[in-house]
Amino acid sequence: MTEIIKLNNINYTVNDTKILKDINLTINEGDYLTFSGTSGSGKSTLMKLVADMISPTSGEILYRNKNIDDYEATDYRKQVSYCFQQPTLFGETVFDNLAFPFKVREQEPDSELMVQKLKLANLDESFLNQKVIDLSGGQKQRIALLRNLIFTPDVLILDEVTTGLDKTNKNIIHSLVMDLNKNEGITILAITHDQEELDDSRKIIKVEDGRIVEDK
Amino acid sequence: MQNLAVNNLSLALSFVLVLVSLYFGFKEKLGIDKDIIIGVVRAVIQLFVVGYVLKYVIGSNNVILTLAMMTVIVTNAAWNAKKRGKGIPDLFGISLLAIVLSTGVTIGVLVASGSIKFIPQQMVPISGMIASNSMVAIGLCYKNMIATFKDRHQQVLEKLALGATTKLASMDILRDSIKTGMSPTIDSAKTVGLVSLPGMMSGLIFAGVDPVKAIKYQIMVTFMLLSATSIASVISCYFAYKKFYNEKSQLVL
């Protein structure tokens, strides 16, 4: 098993409040890790640290055996991609959103690739020109997830992406993520409170009061 | 010029107008009485001081004195513009750069085209007009930038998470802020002459200059302010947005 991300003695403090305390974690390529814990336990902060949205107060995060500070932030974030809970969509249409990853890479948008990705999330070609204000919550979440997947990342971080969605949307997203992990070998780090997703997880990491208390 | 009849007595009598605003402030319990008095006292003192300084500078017709006066105007404008961006670091330097360039480029073009001469009675008021409009534009840019970064905080984070550069993640905010900075100048260009007779044109007409000639100066002022506010807005926004991020391209403000 190849080690892809390693957290060494991570602490994160805000205004003298310790949010994360002495976190050590090794993530291997192709892992599917589910993070659970009560609200405010530090799960999201931990994911934001791994996604390089914030930096630890002390400790180091290694990606492919190199400190993430030694990578260009933009290059690292293309490989370790973070998908938010209740995301905001950009511009006016679904196309604008799926075109953004191309813009990031200074490439012309490839509509064919966009349609292929839409199909992965049970959305047909007609969605490409759909206005984002006309989309349901579940469709918005699927489009946001596809934005992270237009160019396949090494690691996909999902921060409660199915919270508040109906069963149909939850199932679509869950099976899409499972497929990505099984067939494309994408490493998945997911925060969830959903029992079904927890049951399907290969490894659950429980975070409480800023510490990893259980790793099974 | 013989119609310019303001004297010390008429000026003192016009103080009645200040009492009108004090009356409304007091009656409506607006709590602005102190501000009105401070504002009036400051305006009177500042204008008297400036009046005597200008008299000296214009009388001396000295390039160094003219440049020194322009420097004071530009520095003050930068200092005031900076105050609108509370919380954003290093704004004085950014504002100063933006105002120096907007004033320098605009005046350079006007002097080169022969529209104005490098003499104190033209340089000082023109640089004052440019610097004050640039100051307002920059202040609006900062204010808008702070509000929009706050409103679109998550959107910016999502763009960064997709691998966008800080510039790409801020591009919509940058465009909105630049537009906001320029909009008062564009709006006033649309209504000039119809809604208001602006300061320079009014001043020239007041002083007895032919209105058609006064209009030509006002047209020049309109062009000049468009150029100045666009330069000031673009420069200030392009430098200021970077202050919202740290060296690791993380959103910190």
Side-chain angles (χ1 to χ4, degrees):
Chain A
M1 291 257 247
T2 316
E3 189 181 288
I4 191 161
I5 289 176
K6 192 165 191 201
L7 282 76
N8 289 331
N9 308 314
I10 295 294
N11 287 285
Y12 185 72
T13 306
V14 176
N15 300 332
D16 296 332
T17 308
K18 279 199 160 188
I19 312 286
L20 291 174
K21 300 157 195 166
D22 210 23
I23 301 278
N24 288 288
L25 182 66
T26 302
I27 301 160
N28 292 316
E29 216 163 351
D31 267 354
Y32 189 138
L33 305 186
T34 308
F35 293 79
S36 76
T38 51
S39 168
S41 59
K43 308 181 296 291
S44 281
T45 306
L46 183 59
M47 293 300 102
K48 285 192 175 89
L49 282 165
V50 176
D52 190 34
M53 293 284 102
I54 49 176
S55 293
T57 312
S58 65
E60 57 172 8
I61 301 172
L62 305 179
Y63 170 68
R64 298 197 182 281
N65 301 315
K66 198 168 126 183
N67 195 312
I68 63 169
D69 290 343
D70 297 334
Y71 289 91
E72 273 295 319
T74 49
D75 293 339
Y76 175 76
R77 290 171 191 157
K78 282 173 197 152
Q79 291 310 323
V80 180
S81 195
Y82 184 90
C83 187
F84 288 71
Q85 181 187 8
Q86 292 173 332
T88 50
L89 295 185
F90 319 144
E92 284 185 15
T93 63
V94 169
F95 180 89
D96 293 338
N97 283 273
L98 300 187
F100 191 77
F102 292 95
K103 215 176 191 180
V104 164
R105 290 160 180 82
E106 296 176 352
Q107 290 179 19
E108 282 302 307
D110 178 349
S111 300
E112 248 176 65
L113 182 62
M114 292 184 197
V115 173
Q116 271 177 37
K117 298 287 177 178
L118 280 171
K119 283 178 185 159
L120 291 177
N122 280 16
L123 298 166
D124 63 41
E125 199 175 338
S126 66
F127 270 89
L128 214 48
N129 296 316
Q130 192 106 340
K131 288 202 164 79
V132 292
I133 47 164
D134 297 331
L135 298 175
S136 69
Q139 288 166 338
K140 277 184 189 163
Q141 188 72 63
R142 281 188 266 165
I143 298 298
L145 179 57
L146 292 180
R147 269 189 327 214
N148 295 71
L149 296 174
I150 285 281
F151 294 91
T152 314
D154 276 355
V155 180
L156 179 63
I157 301 172
L158 305 168
D159 191 350
E160 298 193 49
V161 292
T162 55
T163 302
L165 300 185
D166 59 34
K167 203 167 167 43
T168 317
N169 276 298
K170 261 184 196 174
N171 288 342
I172 293 170
I173 291 177
H174 185 51
S175 57
L176 165 62
V177 173
M178 294 286 279
D179 270 2
L180 290 168
N181 178 248
K182 263 188 207 159
N183 303 328
E184 298 200 40
I186 300 180
T187 307
I188 308 285
L189 311 179
I191 298 177
T192 187
H193 295 291
D194 187 89
Q195 197 50 51
E196 212 171 308
E197 287 173 42
L198 286 167
D199 291 343
D200 276 351
S201 301
R202 270 185 258 142
K203 197 173 182 186
I204 300 173
I205 292 170
K206 200 166 179 197
V207 183
E208 278 312 331
D209 193 26
R211 292 180 196 278
I212 292 178
V213 291
E214 215 178 312
D215 186 344
K216 63 178 181 184
Chain B
M1 294 290 234
Q2 66 276 21
N3 291 328
L4 297 179
V6 70
N7 55 38
N8 291 342
L9 178 66
S10 57
L11 202 56
L13 287 174
S14 67
F15 185 74
V16 170
L17 299 170
V18 177
L19 297 179
V20 172
S21 75
L22 276 173
Y23 169 74
F24 283 117
F26 179 73
K27 189 172 175 280
E28 299 296 325
K29 298 185 176 67
L30 301 179
I32 53 169
D33 317 7
K34 202 177 146 193
D35 281 339
I36 293 174
I37 292 167
I38 292 173
V40 167
V41 171
R42 276 189 62 165
V44 171
I45 295 171
Q46 283 167 200
L47 288 172
F48 265 108
V49 171
V50 166
Y52 282 107
V53 171
L54 279 177
K55 197 174 177 180
Y56 178 72
V57 172
I58 290 169
S60 71
N61 200 9
N62 179 304
V63 175
I64 293 175
L65 269 181
T66 309
L67 286 172
M69 188 76 194
M70 289 165 74
T71 307
V72 170
I73 291 170
V74 163
T75 311
N76 255 316
W79 185 256
N80 277 293
K82 170 210 145 176
K83 288 185 193 163
R84 289 291 186 127
K86 234 178 183 177
I88 314 175
D90 310 325
L91 278 192
F92 176 67
I94 293 172
S95 309
L96 189 63
L97 177 73
I99 296 177
V100 165
L101 285 177
S102 70
T103 312
V105 169
T106 311
I107 285 185
V109 171
L110 292 177
V111 171
S113 66
S115 306
I116 54 170
K117 289 179 188 151
F118 199 91
I119 51 171
Q121 61 261 51
Q122 293 193 5
M123 277 306 112
V124 176
I126 291 283
S127 47
M129 259 190 266
I130 296 174
S132 71
N133 277 275
S134 300
M135 174 187 83
V136 172
I138 294 170
L140 286 171
C141 287
Y142 293 156
K143 219 175 157 195
N144 185 77
M145 206 174 252
I146 292 170
T148 348
F149 262 108
K150 203 173 169 191
D151 283 353
R152 300 187 200 164
H153 184 85
Q154 188 174 330
Q155 194 180 99
V156 174
L157 287 178
E158 284 178 54
K159 288 180 176 176
L160 292 174
L162 290 166
T165 57
T166 54
K167 188 178 172 187
L168 182 58
S170 319
M171 196 44 87
D172 292 345
I173 296 175
L174 265 174
R175 287 196 185 118
D176 279 358
S177 303
I178 293 170
K179 268 198 255 173
T180 305
M182 290 184 65
S183 60
T185 313
I186 295 170
D187 288 347
S188 76
K190 283 181 196 161
T191 57
V192 69
L194 297 174
V195 178
S196 65
L197 294 180
M200 184 164 199
M201 182 173 152
S202 305
L204 289 171
I205 294 172
F206 216 77
V209 171
D210 172 15
V212 175
K213 200 165 189 185
I215 277 165
K216 283 183 190 162
Y217 270 103
Q218 193 54 51
I219 292 171
M220 180 197 81
V221 168
T222 305
F223 294 165
M224 165 184 108
L225 296 183
L226 273 171
S227 144
T229 52
S230 61
I231 294 171
S233 303
V234 167
I235 291 174
S236 58
C237 285
Y238 269 86
F239 279 95
Y241 90 86
K242 293 178 183 166
K243 303 292 171 189
F244 286 78
Y245 300 93
N246 62 16
E247 71 288 354
K248 293 176 184 169
S249 301
Q250 294 163 341
L251 188 61
V252 286
L253 285 184

